[in-house]
Amino acid sequence: MNKVVWKLIGIVVAVLTMVGCATQSSNQNAYSAPKLNTTEFFYLNSISLVTEQFVTPDIEYHSESEIEEKVSAGVRQSLSSAGLLSEDTSMTTLDVDVVYQKRFVGDKTPITSDSLAYPMFDYTITVQNGAKEVSTISRKGLTYSGDFTMNLKVAGGRLRKKSDEEVFIKALVDSISETIQSFKK
């Protein structure tokens, strides 16, 4: 084989190695909730979300308000399905504040793109019983880790549709919901 082919093979192997290593720490998102004295159900007072990004893409992705709406509806649906949601304001009250960092391939380099990369997110859940704050649970630096196919799409800059972001939003919803549900364990 000629030098160009070997060079391309070397680049592909290097990229796959980096992508593989970047997703090895999937257990970093494992969370053990503190034991909290809560009521049987939760009253979800608010979910607020702020997005951050280093690049302004030419492609239209979900806006901050769309993501906030999807996260709020998803968490409410998840908690309702688990039988933990109440409209009674005397129940343990939860306020959720989210920072969603939308990432793009090459966004921290001089060579940026409009292709989505794995986002990072932080959230804080404030737990109150009546007027008394019981606890504040913070999860920082969380990121979505996809499977091999997703890793290839990210590395190849193939996530270029608004719908590609749905899986990231669902992962955020699942993380918040699982953290809240863990208060009951």
Side-chain angles (χ1 to χ4, degrees):
M1 287 196 238
N2 66 28
K3 288 182 180 183
V4 174
V5 172
W6 281 111
K7 198 178 249 187
L8 284 173
I9 290 172
I11 290 171
V12 168
V13 169
V15 167
L16 290 177
T17 301
M18 287 186 293
V19 170
C21 292
T23 60
Q24 287 294 339
S25 59
S26 60
N27 285 339
Q28 76 179 3
N29 295 340
Y31 177 72
S32 178
K35 299 293 183 209
L36 299 176
N37 184 17
T38 64
T39 56
E40 183 178 355
F41 304 103
F42 296 111
Y43 173 71
L44 189 55
N45 185 51
S46 69
I47 294 181
S48 64
L49 182 135
V50 174
T51 58
E52 297 175 346
Q53 61 192 56
F54 299 112
V55 173
T56 304
D58 291 332
I59 298 171
E60 182 181 333
Y61 294 108
H62 288 94
S63 68
E64 182 173 275
S65 62
E66 288 172 325
I67 296 170
E68 182 178 71
E69 184 178 309
K70 287 178 177 291
V71 169
S72 182
V75 170
R76 288 180 189 283
Q77 175 60 41
S78 179
L79 293 178
S80 181
S81 294
L84 295 175
L85 193 62
S86 174
E87 291 301 316
D88 182 354
T89 57
S90 69
M91 295 291 143
T92 298
T93 301
L94 305 174
D95 289 296
V96 182
D97 296 306
V98 181
V99 177
Y100 180 91
Q101 189 179 84
K102 196 176 289 198
R103 302 288 312 277
F104 299 92
V105 175
D107 65 1
K108 290 186 176 180
T109 70
I111 306 168
T112 61
S113 78
D114 290 342
S115 300
L116 290 170
Y118 294 133
M120 294 186 70
F121 45 86
D122 304 331
Y123 58 85
T124 301
I125 303 170
T126 304
V127 182
Q128 293 182 309
N129 282 334
K132 181 182 175 200
E133 185 174 311
V134 176
S135 185
T136 301
I137 291 82
S138 294
R139 305 281 320 272
K140 305 280 185 191
L142 302 175
T143 188
Y144 177 84
S145 293
D147 60 14
F148 183 74
T149 304
M150 179 67 91
N151 289 339
L152 289 176
K153 288 180 179 179
V154 170
R158 307 271 310 181
L159 301 181
R160 300 180 61 80
K161 296 182 292 196
K162 190 174 186 175
S163 61
D164 290 331
E165 199 169 18
E166 293 290 330
V167 69
F168 304 148
I169 296 168
K170 182 182 180 326
L172 174 57
V173 166
D174 291 348
S175 180
I176 294 169
S177 299
E178 288 168 10
T179 299
I180 293 171
Q181 289 178 38
S182 71
F183 299 161
K184 297 309 243 175
K185 295 180 181 173

